[in-house]
Structure formats: structure tokens, C-alpha cells
Amino acid sequence: MRSRRFHLILSMLVPGLVLLLAWLPLAAQDITFATNTPAAPPPQPFATNTPNRPNPTPQPLLLATNTPSPNMLNRPPDAPMDRYALRRWDETSLSLELINQISRLTSSDPDIMMSIRLFQNEIARRFPGTPRSPALREQILRAMLNAPRGTVDMRPVVRPYIEAALNTLQPAFDVQNRLEYNGFVIDIQPANLNNTGSMDAVLMTRYPADSPLLYVDYTLAVIDAQGIYRLPEASPPFPFVPFNGLETLSLTYLGDLNSDRLDEVAIAVIAPDALNADMAIFGWRNGTAANLVAPGRAISGQLVADFQTTNNAVAVQEQTVLIPEWRCIGERSVMWTWQNNFFRPTIVPDTFVPQDTLACRLAAAEPLYSYDPAEAIALIQRLSSQATVDDSAAAARAAMMVAMLHLLNGQPADALAQVDALSTGAEAGSWLEAQLNAFKRTAAQGAVTPLQMCAALQMASAYGACDVNTVLARLLDEQPFVLDEPLDAQAAQLGLSISSSITVNQVGLLPRQAVLFDLANGQWWSFAPVGDGVYTAEMIDTPEGFAAVPVPPPLITAPDTVYRALLESNNPAEALNIIDNMVRANPNVPLSSAVRFVQAISYDLLGDRTNARQAYYSLWRDDAASAWGQLAAAHLERR
């Protein structure tokens, strides 16, 4: 169907064009999950299918409790603040409250997801290694696996669970192997991580055995001198999927990459619609796992990288969008070399080189609307002569521009024919369909000027197929406004109306009339009487006094830096500083509930009990039904 649509679009540009479609296979070690897989109840995580191995001894279930007491779910506090104190947490109560919060997840609600991540971070700070109880760990794991797919960070529970499984099963690490344990599949890849004389391993853990997969990660595993299996954590932690929108995880390299006689492991994750993968290189250093990429950096580039063991280097092709309206992609080769105990970028070209694609060829020819319309149509058709199926998006945009250019060239019948032909292959909900619908709606209004049609396409969707300012500049250059007719009357002939005007006086220049046309882009134009009976028109900056007054935001929301301060840097003081700066920049603007909770938990983690109690209480009182209000309530208890 895609190939048929592409042939149809290209036929609008270059008649008789023959296309060749080549499909390239995915890398064998990529783990990719369909994001539109219907949600299905996960299998029971504790019904093992390991042959000849009994199920673990059943543990008594612990029931999650609602806090504070009495149960105030979705209700504000029923007493003044002086009747509440900060909750006296212990490992069990924190774990049970985590289960309670996870049970509130019924969809991918970003607020609840983030509140749970912050609470998990608090648990890790207060009681590292929680939960230690096998029964409690199983109950938390069960709650996580039954939560909506990809909404909860399961690493703090799954990894100790797998570590316990390894110590039960005691597999050999000197050969490739696959284990199944209570629904988890563990693939073992031998590796020499710490050069102790016995083999270590890289594990790929997934759950369940079949799709839709709820958990996949890669970790390092070692056996210590006492024969204990360990899965050390790393900083930043080993990634996993699906979580927080990430679906693709890949083990891209295993071997000695820096000539230290130890194996390193390269693991990459790819965000949806991202051009590049983010890759970390992990190795065994000082008795634990460490990310060997320079601090604060990630190797960003295409998933297939060139690992140069003789040079102790990794070469990647990094891509970026150079021209977003055409999605012209540029690329550069970046070399990461082992220097001073880290992989660091050593060769970084200053510029990205555009790919040889239809998108980049057309982008280089811009501004296409500055050409005579017939010349622009011929240019688009010539540039499209080598298009392939990978150029389908650029071809669709070019074909829509050809329709607009026909209209500008005084050929409305050809424009409508082009639109009708494109409508046959337009995919529902696509950019092309939005543009076609805008063209048809505007044309149905009757006497419509080409400039009005151009404005309609520009407004219909991001990167619309026309540019009003470029078209208007060419029209005013070819047919300038004359001095002896009012400007508004001449503008009306183009389908424009003037919404604001002012006379601009500057030293050394003749007085100019500045006008703002009633168009969505809000561009001002000046008309100077310097020609032979005509005005010279040019785009100008907004005159003083006409600039839009910034509207303060209704709420101060939390930027990513606030969350990173807690989740990555473990620095609540930094989080408070970011919030203070936002408050100073937006006086009298209230804080969102998310920011108020970050404020409260930061006070709490810093030991500022007075401010923490006040912040938790006021958030619970003001927004009791939200995830933030409920979690704030959980941090208080009645005296």
C-alpha cells in the first residue's frame, strides 16, 4: 500500500518514474517491541515452567495499606496541620506504600508515573537495597507486572530477583546458556569482566518468554570469591525496556575494546522516532560495573557502529535534521577514543553533511516560491527524477507544492486535478491529508486568491506546503503597490486586509508606512515611496509598541532539570534552587502540584522537617485527588 501511494505521488512529479524498493533486515541483536500491541493480562510471574524444578516455597502475602489513617483516599485532610507529623518510615511501610501507588496506575498517566519514580528514588535513598524480604519483593514485582505496560521502573526489584534466582540455580558462566525461572528467561553470554580466572557473564533478562514483553534488560554478572552470584548496579544504571516510551534495546558489542584484557559491553537504547541511538559502554572497574563513556555524555549515533579494537575507538555516524520542513537529514562521523580512563569524542566535524536524498535536494533549492511558478514546477520535477521509495515524505510535500504553484501560475484546473489525484493515495491522518483537506475547504469558499490559499496551507499543519511571506515578497516585487492608490485597497486585491498600521520615521530615510496584514504569521511590512510611482516593500521587525506582551503561564510546571536533579544527580538542594529561580522569574504564578511535591520531598530528604511537613500538608489539602496530593498525604500521619 505504501509503494502504491508513493508511485501515485511521484507520478504527479515525474511521469513514468520506475521505483526500486529494497528492504534491509534489522540487526540480529536488536530487541524491538511494537508500541501498538494490545494490552494483555500478563501471565502469572511465579508459575515456573522450568522442567523438573519445583516452584519456590509460597510466601505469605502482605497487604498494601492506605495511608494516612484513617483512610483519606482522594479526600483532603480532616484536621489542622498541627495534628499531623511526618510519617515514620521503615522498609516495610515504604514498600507497601509503593505497592499502593502502583495499584493506582490504570493507564500511562505521566503524573502518576513520575510520582512513582520519585517515590522509588526516595526509597532507594532511605533504605538502599529495599526490599530485602523475598515475600515483599514478590508482591512488589507482581504489582509491577500487572501495571500498564512500560509505566513502572522494575529494575530495583527484578535485578535482585534474578540475582536470587542465579544463586538458586547456580548456572555455569563458561558456556552460552538459557535459563527459565518463574516466567523469566535469562540468556547467558560468557565474558571476562574482572580477570579472576573464572568466567563472568552478560545476561539478557526478559519477561515473559513470548510477546508482548514486559521487561528486557542487559546486565553484567559475576561470581565472587565465596561463590556468590552478583548483579552489580552501574551509574548511570543499565537501561531496560519497555519504559518511559523506550521500546528498543540492543547489545551492540562484547569484547576487549580498550586493550585492558577485560571485556567491555556496549548497550544502546533508541527513543521512538529518534534518528540516533544513545550508547553506553560498561566495564568492570574497582569491584563494580561502571560506564566508561565520559561523564555526562552518551555515544549518539546510528545503531551500527565501527568498534576499532586496534585503535581503542568507536566510530559512529551521527545524524541530525538539518531542514525540518523537508526533513533533510545531515550526518557526520564522530570518533570516540579511549583517553584518560574514558571514551571521549576526539574527532567531531563542525558540520553535518546533507544526505543525497530528494528531501535535501529540494531543501537546497529553497526558497522555491521565490521562483517563477513554471520554473519552480520544472525544477521540482527535475530534482524528483531520482526519487526512491525512501523519499516518499519529501515527494508528497513536493507534489502538494506543485498544486500550489499551478494556482500561482494561473492554472486552477491543473491545481485541482493535482489535488484530486493526490487524494486517492493520501493516508488517513497524514500531513498530506491535512494539506489536501485545507486546499479543498478553501477552494470551496468560492473566490479565493492564491495568497489566501497559500495562507490556508501554511496554517493547516506544521511545515505547510506554502510560505506566505516568500510568495508575497515575489508578488510585491513583480507587481509593486502604486503610490496613488490606498494601500488597503491594493492589499484587498490580493485577498489581504490590514489589521494595524503606523508611520515609521527614521533619520536619513523617507517616512515609511508599516502595516501588519491579517495573516497568522504576524509579519510586518514597510512600504517606502522610493520607486518611480511605486512603493518598495520589505519585511521589517515589529515596530516599538506593537510587540505582544508575554502572557505569564497559568502554572509553574516542572522542567526536566528538576527531575534530573533528584533522579540522576541525587541532589535535592539543586532541585530547590531550580524551583526558586522559576519562582523569581514568574512572580505571583502558582506552582503546579508536581513542582510542589518536588519541593516537599526535597525539603524532606534534606532534613528540613518543618518546611517538608508544611509543603506536604498544603499540597494534600489543595489537590487531594491528584497523584501528587495522595503521595503527599502518604508522607503524613495523624498524631
Side-chain angles (χ1 to χ4, degrees):
M1 184 65 183
R2 179 187 177 196
S3 178
R4 180 181 175 187
R5 286 196 299 271
F6 178 71
H7 278 281
L8 182 60
I9 291 171
L10 263 292
S11 69
M12 302 295 100
L13 302 174
V14 186
L17 180 65
V18 178
L19 303 176
L20 177 64
L21 173 61
W23 295 100
L24 298 177
L26 288 173
Q29 287 184 295
D30 294 354
I31 304 296
T32 306
F33 313 108
T35 57
N36 58 356
T37 303
Q44 287 298 319
F46 310 108
T48 179
N49 55 4
T50 305
N52 302 321
R53 184 173 297 280
N55 289 337
T57 302
Q59 301 287 340
L61 293 181
L62 301 172
L63 301 178
T65 60
N66 290 317
T67 54
S69 182
N71 179 15
M72 301 295 292
L73 185 63
N74 295 331
R75 294 172 55 193
D78 60 353
M81 188 181 70
D82 59 10
R83 297 289 303 276
Y84 288 92
L86 290 180
R87 182 110 177 253
R88 292 182 291 270
W89 292 113
D90 56 36
E91 188 173 330
T92 299
S93 62
L94 276 167
S95 298
L96 293 177
E97 181 56 37
L98 176 61
I99 295 171
N100 183 49
Q101 294 298 322
I102 293 173
S103 69
R104 292 169 55 86
L105 264 171
T106 57
S107 64
S108 300
D109 185 303
D111 276 350
I112 301 180
M113 288 174 59
M114 181 54 72
S115 69
I116 290 174
R117 289 181 67 186
L118 292 174
F119 192 49
Q120 287 181 284
N121 178 262
E122 179 184 4
I123 293 172
R125 286 175 62 97
R126 292 185 186 278
F127 298 100
T130 300
R132 293 180 177 84
S133 160
L136 196 54
R137 184 183 300 135
E138 286 192 0
Q139 190 176 2
I140 295 175
L141 182 57
R142 181 178 301 177
M144 289 178 166
L145 291 172
N146 282 291
R149 182 176 179 271
T151 58
V152 181
D153 186 353
M154 292 189 271
R155 288 173 292 187
V157 179
V158 169
R159 288 175 183 167
Y161 189 82
I162 298 302
E163 187 175 79
L166 293 176
N167 282 288
T168 299
L169 302 174
Q170 297 189 339
F173 278 173
D174 55 356
V175 294
Q176 291 188 359
N177 196 4
R178 172 171 291 180
L179 309 174
E180 294 188 22
Y181 184 83
N182 291 352
F184 285 88
V185 178
I186 308 167
D187 286 314
I188 298 174
Q189 178 71 34
N192 177 23
L193 300 176
N194 56 17
N195 211 22
T196 59
S198 61
M199 290 303 291
D200 313 299
V202 176
L203 306 183
M204 184 184 80
T205 302
R206 70 182 188 271
Y207 179 88
D210 301 316
S211 295
L213 294 170
L214 302 179
Y215 185 91
V216 176
D217 77 356
Y218 290 95
T219 54
L220 307 186
V222 297
I223 306 173
D224 67 17
Q226 288 72 42
I228 305 299
Y229 289 76
R230 295 176 51 211
L231 268 65
E233 290 295 339
S235 180
F238 297 108
F240 87 104
V241 292
F243 179 62
N244 205 27
L246 296 175
E247 291 281 344
T248 304
L249 183 68
S250 178
L251 175 64
T252 58
Y253 183 83
L254 171 58
D256 184 2
L257 191 54
N258 58 4
S259 300
D260 63 352
R261 300 182 182 180
L262 301 176
D263 287 338
E264 284 75 44
V265 181
I267 302 173
V269 292
I270 307 176
D273 302 323
L275 288 176
N276 302 302
D278 285 335
M279 183 168 64
I281 300 175
F282 294 97
W284 190 260
R285 298 295 181 272
N286 300 319
T288 187
N291 181 14
L292 304 182
V293 178
R297 305 294 296 269
I299 299 177
S300 179
Q302 296 298 285
L303 192 60
V304 178
D306 180 15
F307 293 92
Q308 303 175 7
T309 55
T310 56
N311 298 329
N312 296 340
V314 183
V316 294
Q317 285 296 116
E318 184 181 3
Q319 295 186 347
T320 191
V321 178
L322 294 176
I323 312 295
E325 54 265 39
W326 286 105
R327 195 165 174 78
C328 167
I329 305 299
E331 56 189 12
R332 64 183 182 183
S333 181
V334 182
M335 185 75 71
W336 293 74
T337 304
W338 181 252
Q339 292 182 352
N340 300 323
N341 297 319
F342 288 106
F343 285 95
R344 305 174 188 272
T346 56
I347 303 176
V348 182
D350 292 334
T351 59
F352 288 85
V353 177
Q355 294 178 334
D356 184 18
T357 60
L358 175 61
C360 292
R361 291 193 295 268
L362 289 166
E366 288 282 21
L368 289 164
Y369 283 108
S370 66
Y371 295 80
D372 175 82
E375 293 178 1
I377 292 172
L379 177 59
I380 290 173
Q381 292 177 337
R382 178 172 60 81
L383 293 175
S384 303
S385 61
Q386 301 299 317
T388 71
V389 70
D390 293 328
D391 294 316
S392 58
R397 178 180 174 82
M400 195 65 222
M401 290 181 71
V402 167
M404 185 65 227
L405 287 164
H406 279 313
L407 196 61
L408 288 167
N409 203 35
Q411 300 169 301
D414 290 343
L416 289 172
Q418 175 90 344
V419 167
D420 288 340
L422 288 171
S423 297
T424 304
E427 186 176 346
S430 66
W431 176 93
L432 180 58
E433 184 190 52
Q435 292 288 292
L436 292 169
N437 289 340
F439 193 104
K440 294 173 186 177
R441 285 194 305 269
T442 306
Q445 296 173 8
V448 176
T449 68
L451 201 59
Q452 288 173 324
M453 180 63 77
C454 179
L457 295 182
Q458 182 171 313
M459 295 173 58
S461 48
Y463 308 120
C466 197
D467 181 354
V468 170
N469 286 325
T470 303
V471 171
L472 183 55
R474 186 177 59 80
L475 292 177
L476 292 175
D477 182 63
E478 294 174 352
Q479 300 177 359
F481 287 176
V482 298
L483 299 178
D484 55 1
E485 291 185 25
L487 287 177
D488 55 355
Q490 297 179 77
Q493 295 175 12
L494 296 176
L496 298 175
S497 61
I498 297 175
S499 60
S500 299
S501 64
I502 186 175
T503 300
V504 178
N505 295 293
Q506 286 182 281
V507 177
L509 296 175
L510 292 173
R512 293 174 294 162
Q513 189 72 12
V515 302
L516 176 65
F517 293 118
D518 189 15
L519 294 171
N521 58 9
Q523 176 62 54
W524 280 79
W525 289 77
S526 74
F527 292 87
V530 296
D532 186 12
V534 297
Y535 288 103
T536 297
E538 65 175 349
M539 289 180 280
I540 63 172
D541 294 334
T542 301
E544 185 177 352
F546 285 86
V549 178
V551 178
L555 289 173
I556 295 176
T557 57
D560 289 341
T561 53
V562 166
Y563 296 129
R564 288 200 297 268
L566 288 178
L567 298 176
E568 298 178 14
S569 303
N570 285 320
N571 192 339
E574 180 185 353
L576 288 174
N577 184 58
I578 294 171
I579 294 172
D580 288 343
N581 289 336
M582 291 192 299
V583 170
R584 282 194 292 270
N586 300 275
N588 303 319
V589 178
L591 300 176
S592 69
S593 293
V595 175
R596 293 174 67 181
F597 181 79
V598 171
Q599 210 174 30
I601 200 170
S602 296
Y603 287 136
D604 198 353
L605 294 174
L606 289 171
D608 186 347
R609 299 178 61 82
T610 299
N611 279 322
R613 183 173 69 117
Q614 173 66 60
Y616 284 135
Y617 182 87
S618 61
L619 174 55
W620 178 21
R621 178 196 63 208
D622 298 340
D623 196 11
S626 72
W628 305 110
Q630 283 298 294
L631 194 50
H635 283 76
L636 299 171
E637 58 187 2
R638 284 283 296 271
R639 288 175 171 172

